Amino acid sequence: MKSRARQRVLHLTAELWPYARTGGLGQAVAGLASHQAANGVDTNILLPLYREARQHAGALEPFGEPFTVVVGGRSEELRCWREAAGELPRKLFLEHDPSFDRAGIYGDTGSDYPDNHRRFALFARGAIEVARALGGDDGRLILHAHDWHAALAPVYLRRVHRDRADLQVMPCVVTVHNGGFQGAFPRSVLSELGLPEDLWAPDYMEWYGQLDFLKGGLVFADMVTTVSPTHAAELLTEVGGFGLHHVFRTLGDRLVGILNGIDLCAWDPAQDQDIVARFGPDDPAGKARCKQALQELWQLPPRPDIPLFAMSARLVAQKGMDQIVDSRSLRAVNAHFIFLGAGEAQFENALRALAAEYPDRIAVNTAFTDMLEHQLLAGADFLMMPSLYEPCGLTQMRAQRYGALPVARRVGGLADTIDDGVTGILYDAYSPAAFDGAVQRAGMLYQDRARFDALARGAMRRDFSWRQPAEQYRDVYRRAYAARAPFRRAAALPAAGGVRRVAKARTPRPRKPATKGVPRDR
Ligand code: GLC
C-alpha cells in the first residue's frame, strides 16, 4: 500500500468491549480499533450477534441482504447488521440465532458449547462475505483475525476459495492474544466444516491428533502478530509456544510482537468520575483518599500505614492463582489483600476461606464491574500479577497510571511494560516462595514512603497509549498487503492463466489438488 493510501481493515473477533467480553481480548481489539479509526484508518469490526451483544448494542440496521453459506454440505442463512448510531469504528454483527442467540459467548453453566467449532466456523465463513461486501476484493481491505475463534477465516479464504482470484488478493493478519486456547477439535470436524482432507497434516492443521483452528490461521496468514515483543520470543520456545513453537519458528520475520496500549481517556486518574478524589503525578494527594474509600467499601479497617495489594483478574490458573493461595504472604504479612474477579471454583473458594480467616486483611468480590476496577486501582499501592504466562496484560499498565506498582512475574508483556525497581517489582520463578519474596520487596519499598511515592509518581507518567502500537500495526498491514502483490497482478489477468499463477505465488502448497465441487456461496 502506498504510504499515502488510506488503510482499510476488518477486525474479526469473538469479543469486543463493551458488547461481549470475558477478558482482555475485547478490550484490546476495542482499543486498537478506536485508535485506528481516530487516526484515519477505515476501521470495521465484526463480531457474532450474541444475545449479550444485542442487549449492549444500540439500534441495529441491516448491512446488506441475508446470505447463505454452505459449510460441510449444510446451508446456513446469515445476516450482517450494523450499529445505526454510526460511531467509528464501524461495528458489524453477524447474525445466526441458532448459534449465537444464547446465554453465553463460549458456553454457559460452566462448560463450552459442544458446537463451538461450527459456531466459529460459520463466523469465519460469514466474515469473508462481509469483507467482500465491504469491497475487500479490491485487495485494500486487511482481514485481521483475532485468536482461534476467527482463525478459520484465512483457512477458508486460502483453501476453500483458492480458485477465486478476487479473494486471493485479500491480505490476512492473525493476532494471537492467548495461544493457550487454540480451538482443538476431533478430526471428524474437518469434513463437518467442509475443509479439504489434506489439511489433516502436521504442516497444516493437525496438532497432536486434533484439528487445530489457530494453527490453520497461522499457516495461512500473511502476517502474524502477538501482543508483546517478549511473548513473540516466548512463542518460539518449547516451554512458551503452547506446542506450536515449530509453527511460530517457521513464520520467521512474519511474526511480530506489538504491545497493546490502554485507553488513556477511560483510564485517567485526573478525570476519573468513578473515584472519590482525582489525582495525578503532579498532584498525588487524592490517592490517599481513594485508598481510604477503598478500605471502607471492602470493609477493611482504615489503615493508611500498611500496604494495600490488589488483584483484578479472572481467577484462573493462567493468572498464577495457585501461587497466591499457597503463599505465606496472605497468611502472615501485615498488609491488605483485595481480589476482584470471578473464575474457577477452587480459587474462588480458597480465597473466600482466606478472607473468612483473616477478615481484617483479606477481601474478595467475584462480581466484577469496571467501576470497581477503577476504584481498586486508584486505592491500591500494589497490583499483583503473578501470571503463569501473560501475552500482554492490560491491568498492569492501568495500575501504573493510577500509581499502583505492579508486583509481577517477568513474563510476556509484564516484562515489557514494568521496569523492575522503578515502576514495579518483577520476579522470575513460578512458585509461592518467589511470589512471597516479591511481596516482601514491595513491603520494604513501602516502608520508605518518600521513595515509594516518587516511584508511584514516575509510574503514573509512563506512556501506554496506542499511538506507537498502532503505527506498528500500520507497518504490519503494509507488509501483508505487499505479500499479496503477485495475486493482485494475477487477478488482473484473464481468469484461467491468472488463477494458475495465483496458486504458484505464495499460498502454502497443498499436497493434493483442491477438492472438486467445493460449495460456492452467494
Ligand atoms: C489475553 C491475554 C492478555 C492480553 C489480552 C489482550 O487476554 O491473556 O495477556 O493482554 O489477551 O491482548
Side-chain angles (χ1 to χ4, degrees):
M1 216 168 291
K2 286 197 196 92
S3 54
R4 268 168 291 116
R6 189 175 185 208
Q7 288 195 329
R8 307 188 63 212
V9 59
L10 173 62
H11 291 281
L12 312 182
T13 180
E15 296 185 30
L16 184 69
W17 184 87
Y19 303 89
R21 65 157 168 158
T22 62
L25 168 65
Q27 291 172 357
V29 178
L32 171 62
S34 300
H35 191 94
Q36 290 175 320
N39 288 278
V41 179
D42 176 5
T43 311
N44 307 276
I45 313 171
L46 180 72
L47 79 157
L49 186 53
Y50 309 108
R51 191 177 300 165
E52 184 185 345
R54 209 188 281 269
Q55 282 157 6
H56 282 87
L60 298 177
E61 60 189 28
F63 181 74
E65 297 296 315
F67 58 97
T68 303
V69 294
V70 181
V71 172
R74 230 164 85 184
S75 296
E76 308 276 7
E77 182 146 316
L78 304 177
R79 174 147 216 186
C80 188
W81 296 85
R82 143 172 88 191
E83 200 170 39
E87 251 185 53
L88 294 176
R90 190 176 295 117
K91 275 78 131 202
L92 302 168
F93 299 89
L94 192 70
E95 179 181 55
H96 184 259
D97 283 347
S99 296
F100 302 125
D101 185 20
R102 301 184 187 181
I105 298 178
Y106 307 118
D108 48 55
T109 63
S111 56
D112 284 349
Y113 293 125
D115 58 347
N116 272 351
H117 58 288
R118 205 173 165 87
R119 298 170 74 227
F120 291 110
L122 270 181
F123 176 57
R125 283 291 289 100
I128 294 172
E129 301 309 316
V130 174
R132 283 186 56 214
L134 284 166
D137 44 9
D138 73 354
R140 295 210 165 269
L141 180 79
I142 308 282
L143 206 56
H144 188 161
H146 297 269
D147 274 352
W148 75 265
H149 330 98
L152 282 194
V155 180
Y156 280 121
L157 190 66
R158 300 288 182 246
R159 283 307 317 274
V160 175
H161 294 312
R162 62 192 302 229
D163 291 337
R164 288 176 55 178
D166 60 330
L167 291 180
Q168 296 318 310
V169 299
M170 216 185 276
C172 281
V173 175
V174 168
T175 293
V176 180
H177 295 260
N178 194 340
F181 298 89
Q182 296 172 11
F185 300 100
R187 178 181 183 163
S188 56
V189 158
L190 201 62
S191 56
E192 188 189 337
L193 299 183
L195 293 167
E197 274 297 316
D198 64 354
L199 291 180
W200 183 259
D203 284 350
Y204 292 105
M205 294 180 73
E206 190 273 341
W207 182 80
Y208 296 100
Q210 292 194 290
L211 184 77
D212 190 316
F213 280 28
L214 181 63
K215 187 172 177 182
L218 300 176
V219 168
F220 288 105
D222 295 300
M223 292 292 292
V224 174
T225 72
T226 189
V227 286
S228 69
T230 293
H231 193 58
E234 289 168 350
L235 289 176
L236 304 177
T237 66
E238 207 168 329
V239 281
F242 306 101
L244 290 175
H245 55 285
H246 291 300
V247 186
F248 287 115
R249 283 181 198 167
T250 307
L251 290 168
D253 70 354
R254 290 192 293 132
L255 171 66
V256 181
I258 304 177
L259 265 182
N260 289 325
I262 56 170
D263 182 338
L264 295 184
C265 295
W267 295 95
D268 179 2
Q271 307 286 336
D272 196 327
Q273 294 305 313
D274 286 341
I275 60 180
V276 294
R278 267 131 306 274
F279 60 91
D282 300 321
D283 179 16
K287 186 156 171 86
R289 281 186 55 205
C290 290
K291 179 171 176 178
Q292 195 186 354
L294 187 68
Q295 288 167 331
E296 222 167 273
L297 182 69
W298 289 68
Q299 295 174 357
L300 293 167
R303 291 289 303 270
D305 54 318
I306 61 171
L308 193 157
F309 293 82
M311 181 161 187
S312 173
R314 286 171 295 124
L315 304 181
V316 295
Q318 183 206 332
K319 299 295 175 184
M321 290 312 298
D322 39 8
Q323 292 165 102
I324 288 193
V325 297
D326 289 341
S327 73
R328 226 191 107 264
S329 305
L330 266 69
R331 291 169 176 85
V333 172
N334 188 23
H336 283 163
F337 295 91
I338 298 184
F339 297 89
L340 174 63
E344 290 172 28
Q346 53 161 331
F347 298 128
E348 290 188 4
N349 294 340
L351 288 178
R352 283 206 189 95
L354 281 162
E357 201 174 340
Y358 305 102
D360 281 355
R361 293 197 303 100
I362 303 179
V364 185
N365 185 351
T366 54
F368 176 92
T369 67
D370 282 317
M371 192 200 270
L372 283 174
E373 184 171 302
H374 282 252
Q375 295 166 347
L376 188 72
L377 298 182
D381 300 305
F382 297 99
L383 174 82
M384 297 175 280
M385 280 191 82
S387 307
L388 176 61
Y389 69 92
E390 198 62 75
C392 179
L394 301 170
T395 323
Q396 82 280 9
M397 295 190 262
R398 296 171 183 155
Q400 288 174 63
R401 197 155 154 76
Y402 279 65
L405 304 186
V407 176
R409 272 194 79 226
R410 196 190 309 274
V411 287
L414 299 173
D416 291 335
T417 54
I418 299 165
D419 202 347
D420 187 28
V422 180
T423 66
I425 288 172
L426 292 173
Y427 70 100
D428 292 287
Y430 186 84
S431 73
F435 171 70
D436 286 333
V439 169
Q440 202 179 359
R441 269 183 74 198
M444 276 157 53
L445 174 61
Y446 192 75
Q447 280 167 20
D448 184 351
R449 284 308 291 270
R451 178 139 181 271
F452 175 84
D453 289 345
L455 295 190
R457 282 200 304 279
M460 290 183 209
R461 289 201 175 93
R462 290 287 156 126
D463 175 11
F464 294 116
S465 78
W466 275 102
R467 196 177 41 80
Q468 206 189 332
E471 266 313 306
Q472 292 172 284
Y473 277 107
R474 199 180 264 281
D475 191 49
V476 164
Y477 290 177
R478 272 190 208 112
R479 291 178 59 194
Y481 179 77
R484 289 285 120 194
F487 299 88
R488 284 193 296 280
R489 284 196 293 275
L493 294 172
V499 171
R500 195 161 293 277
R501 278 205 208 162
V502 167
K504 274 199 189 125
R506 187 98 163 30
T507 302
R509 295 288 299 162
R511 306 221 165 105
K512 284 191 261 164
T515 314
K516 285 274 177 270
V518 167
R520 294 286 170 91
D521 315 296
R522 289 203 252 139

